[in-house]
């Protein structure tokens, strides 16, 4: 029997998929109605988290943050079966994941952090990506079940907290991407360009496809072989800022990027590839 703590959009869809695969699922959520709703799918809901995890061999967790995970697991631990495995899919700090692994190991409980790049539909369809790192023997023991929950299980090796750090890094990129799209739409609006026209552009020219090559170029540090000089990129950023200002549009990301560009130009890197602004991150 397996238990699942946290019946938000991700957790509830994980449970539905696991039931469909023949698993017996005990579920709990602070808002009890969300757990009760899953009884129609075949889950057994409990009002107390201790009752939900009692006798469970594996306990999955999808909660809000480090503090919530710590609080709920501490309460649930009163009924943990000796040797139980806790698999935490919550996006947390790397420090928190490391500390929980150590703490629960000292108490005879196996804790594994397995964050995901998955939305509710991915959880329902068992697609997307799940990340793990840490005790390789433990990962080997559960990788079969975890692989059934996702399209791809990615093992980042024995270092505790590595999966958590990589998940946050990926999320940072997603936040930056969305903010960049917001700026692009604001600039398009300033020029009287409809959103559909930008969609049409991106359907033919996909800038996201260049991300791996751009990252490779940055990691190689060959900034003196420019494909787009920093001076020219800064000129374009200035045009963007001027057009937005004239239209009364607010840009969130470009002003900060322009400031960083100015700092690197002042250091004498104006003729380098514009990606030199990432040099200090290497």
């Amino acid at each position: 029997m397996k238990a699942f703590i946290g019946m938000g959009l991700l957790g509830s869809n994980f449970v539905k998929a696991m039931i469909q695969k023949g698993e017996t699922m005990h579920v709990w959520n602070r808002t009890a109605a969300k757990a009760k709703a899953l009884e129609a799918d075949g889950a057994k809901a409990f009002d107390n988290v201790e009752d939900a995890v009692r006798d469970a061999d594996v306990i999955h967790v999808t909660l809000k943050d480090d503090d919530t995970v710590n609080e709920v697991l501490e309460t649930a631990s009163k009924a943990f079966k000796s040797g139980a495995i806790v698999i935490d899919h919550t996006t947390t700090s790397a420090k928190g994941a490391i500390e929980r692994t150590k703490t629960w190991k000292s108490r005879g409980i196996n804790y594994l952090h397995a964050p995901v790049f998955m939305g509710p539909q991915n959880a329902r369809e068992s697609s997307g990506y799940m990340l793990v790192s840490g005790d390789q023997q433990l990962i080997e023991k559960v990788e079969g079940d975890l692989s059934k929950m996702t399209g791809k299980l990615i093992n980042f090796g024995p270092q505790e907290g590595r999966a958590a750090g990589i998940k946050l890094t990926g999320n940072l990129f997603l936040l930056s991407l969305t903010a960049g799209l917001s700026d692009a739409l604001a600039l398009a609006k300033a020029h009287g360009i409809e959103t559909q026209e930008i969609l049409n552009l991106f359907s033919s020219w996909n800038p996201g496809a260049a991300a791996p090559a751009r990252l490779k170029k940055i990691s190689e540090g060959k900034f003196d072989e420019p494909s787009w000089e920093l001076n020219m990129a800064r000129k374009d950023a200035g045009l963007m800022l001027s057009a937005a200002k004239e239209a009364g549009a607010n840009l969130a990301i470009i002003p900060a990027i322009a400031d960083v560009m100015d700092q690197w130009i002042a250091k004498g890197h104006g003729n380098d590839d514009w990606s030199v602004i990432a040099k200090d991150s290497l």
Side-chain angles (χ1 to χ4, degrees):
M1 183 270 291
K2 296 179 180 178
F4 215 115
I5 299 172
M7 294 296 99
L9 293 175
L10 193 65
S12 60
N13 279 285
F14 268 137
V15 168
K16 290 176 183 178
M18 294 167 84
I19 290 172
Q20 193 171 41
K21 292 181 176 69
E23 299 282 4
T24 298
M25 301 299 302
H26 287 188
V27 298
W28 175 87
N29 194 74
R30 276 179 167 169
T31 304
K34 291 184 178 181
K36 290 287 185 183
L38 288 165
E39 291 189 329
D41 295 281
K44 185 173 182 180
F46 292 83
D47 293 328
N48 298 313
V49 67
E50 302 100 303
D51 294 332
V53 304
R54 199 178 309 278
D55 297 325
D57 298 303
V58 179
I59 300 143
H60 291 270
V61 179
T62 53
L63 294 169
K64 180 183 177 181
D65 52 26
D66 287 288
D67 289 342
T68 308
V69 172
N70 289 338
E71 178 187 344
V72 173
L73 288 184
E74 185 59 41
T75 301
S77 68
K78 300 169 187 175
F80 278 169
K81 181 178 180 179
S82 178
I85 299 172
V86 174
I87 303 176
D88 185 5
H89 306 290
T90 309
T91 298
T92 69
S93 67
K95 180 180 179 181
I98 293 169
E99 290 176 347
R100 275 186 293 279
T101 303
K102 181 179 179 180
T103 296
W104 289 109
K105 184 177 182 179
S106 70
R107 297 170 65 173
I109 301 297
N110 299 291
Y111 173 91
L112 178 67
H113 191 228
V116 300
F117 288 116
M118 298 170 69
Q121 192 63 29
N122 296 121
R124 188 71 179 87
E125 298 173 349
S126 301
S127 59
Y129 301 86
M130 185 178 293
L131 321 179
V132 290
S133 68
D135 186 334
Q136 295 297 293
Q137 288 185 333
L138 176 58
I139 292 172
E140 184 178 356
K141 185 175 181 179
V142 300
E143 65 180 345
D145 284 342
L146 293 183
S147 294
K148 294 176 183 177
M149 296 174 65
T150 184
K152 186 174 180 62
L153 179 67
I154 308 175
N155 186 344
F156 288 100
Q159 185 175 332
E160 307 290 355
R162 178 60 60 90
I166 290 175
K167 173 62 196 300
L168 288 177
T169 301
N171 276 8
L172 184 149
F173 182 80
L174 292 177
L175 291 173
S176 302
L177 177 63
T178 300
L181 287 173
S182 177
D183 271 14
L185 291 174
L187 184 63
K189 185 177 181 180
H191 286 94
I193 299 169
E194 298 291 333
T195 300
Q196 186 58 50
E197 294 180 79
I198 305 302
L199 285 169
N200 291 340
L201 170 65
F202 284 1
S203 67
S204 298
W205 170 66
N206 179 9
R214 175 64 58 180
L215 180 58
K216 184 174 186 294
K217 182 179 181 67
I218 291 171
S219 67
E220 291 173 345
K222 296 179 180 179
F223 304 115
D224 58 349
E225 301 176 6
S227 59
W228 190 17
E229 290 184 355
L230 178 57
N231 282 327
M232 298 303 292
R234 178 62 180 88
K235 179 266 297 182
D236 289 357
L239 293 174
M240 300 168 197
L241 291 168
S242 294
K245 184 177 181 180
E246 289 175 8
N250 293 319
L251 301 181
I253 299 299
I254 293 303
I257 294 175
D259 286 344
V260 175
M261 287 178 166
D262 288 340
Q263 293 172 28
W264 282 94
I265 290 172
K267 295 177 185 178
H269 293 276
N271 294 323
D272 286 342
D273 190 85
W274 84 280
S275 60
V276 72
I277 65 173
K279 184 177 181 180
D280 285 347
S281 299
L282 297 175

